[in-house]
Amino acid sequence: MRALILVDIQNDFLPGGALAVPEGDAVVPVANRLMPDYDLVVATQDWHPADHLSFASQHAGCNVGEFVEVDGLEQILWPDHCVQDSRGAEFAAGLNIGGVDHVVQKGTNRRIDSYSGFFDNARRHATGLEELLRSQQVDAVDIVGLATDYCVKFTALDAVSLGFTTRVLTQGTRGVELDPGDCNRAVQEMQTAGVDVI
Ligand code: VGL
Ligand code: ZN
């Protein structure tokens, strides 16, 4: 069984959103077109409490893009985004939610970020995505969504490390590209790990 994983296709990652990914809206029609081709469609949803420690607003004197340490783990600071129950956290209006079988929320623990749809950044807590896929006999996953250089990358790296045959369909991904070349480096990292980047 092959599953489609839609990573964080939420208002805050689209143009006009709090953490807008350039051309982020371009992934929506691609996701909609792909959904009917899969046995199972899972959407991840970045779902932060309002005082999440990945937000620069929670660290006095710190700016977006700076690094801080939280519980011994390096954390890059983001603008407030995908706050639980806010409009920015909702799935993109144009996304065919009816085609999504399951939603997996992540980033809910204030103290730790979760780029991957499978685990938090320390790999201490699982989101339940792996169990869900295994319970449906999924052995291969295709991934689209946002952002190539963060949540898509870490979701793909975890998927392949868990033994799923993993593809990233670049037509349906866009990146933040904080530093020029981040997306290309992400693609190389994924390929080195055994992800098929198409
Ligand atoms: C993401 C930064 C912070 C993502 C989520 O979905 O790629 N990036 N939270
Ligand atoms: Zn986030």
Side-chain angles (χ1 to χ4, degrees):
M1 293 263 281
R2 186 181 291 277
L4 178 67
I5 303 178
L6 310 176
V7 176
D8 298 3
I9 307 182
Q10 297 166 256
N11 290 324
D12 271 342
F13 298 120
L14 303 192
L19 212 175
V21 176
E23 299 177 11
D25 49 339
V27 310
V28 175
V30 180
N32 288 341
R33 189 166 47 70
L34 287 169
M35 284 187 223
D37 297 343
Y38 290 82
D39 305 308
L40 183 76
V41 179
V42 183
T44 69
Q45 187 174 34
D46 212 33
W47 194 247
H48 298 307
D51 60 354
H52 197 261
L53 291 175
S54 73
F55 298 168
S57 62
Q58 298 299 308
H59 303 267
C62 290
N63 296 308
V64 169
E66 288 178 11
F67 288 88
V68 296
E69 206 172 281
V70 179
D71 299 337
L73 215 65
E74 191 176 72
Q75 173 69 54
I76 188 165
L77 296 178
W78 301 108
D80 292 18
H81 67 277
C82 297
V83 171
Q84 294 171 7
D85 299 310
S86 71
R87 216 193 81 76
E90 287 172 14
F91 290 113
L95 189 68
N96 174 24
I97 308 296
V100 176
D101 299 303
H102 290 277
V103 174
V104 171
Q105 295 179 329
K106 63 189 183 60
T108 55
N109 178 342
R110 173 181 193 242
R111 302 200 64 85
I112 189 154
D113 216 346
S114 186
Y115 295 142
S116 161
F118 289 93
F119 301 101
D120 64 39
N121 288 1
R123 258 181 165 249
R124 270 187 216 119
H125 290 281
T127 59
L129 176 55
E130 179 187 4
E131 276 165 297
L132 172 68
L133 297 177
R134 300 223 189 270
S135 74
Q136 307 285 314
Q137 284 78 47
V138 170
D139 53 7
V141 297
D142 285 355
I143 301 174
V144 296
L146 305 168
T148 313
D149 37 358
Y150 287 93
C151 293
V152 168
K153 177 180 95 170
F154 286 102
T155 300
L157 291 176
D158 278 342
V160 79
S161 83
L162 291 169
F164 296 100
T165 301
T166 306
R167 304 195 297 190
V168 167
L169 313 178
T170 54
Q171 193 192 155
T173 69
R174 291 294 185 281
V176 184
E177 195 94 347
L178 278 186
D179 289 315
D182 277 354
C183 287
N184 284 336
R185 279 188 289 274
V187 166
Q188 283 188 353
E189 227 180 294
M190 291 190 278
Q191 286 174 329
T192 301
V195 176
D196 204 359
V197 181
I198 300 171

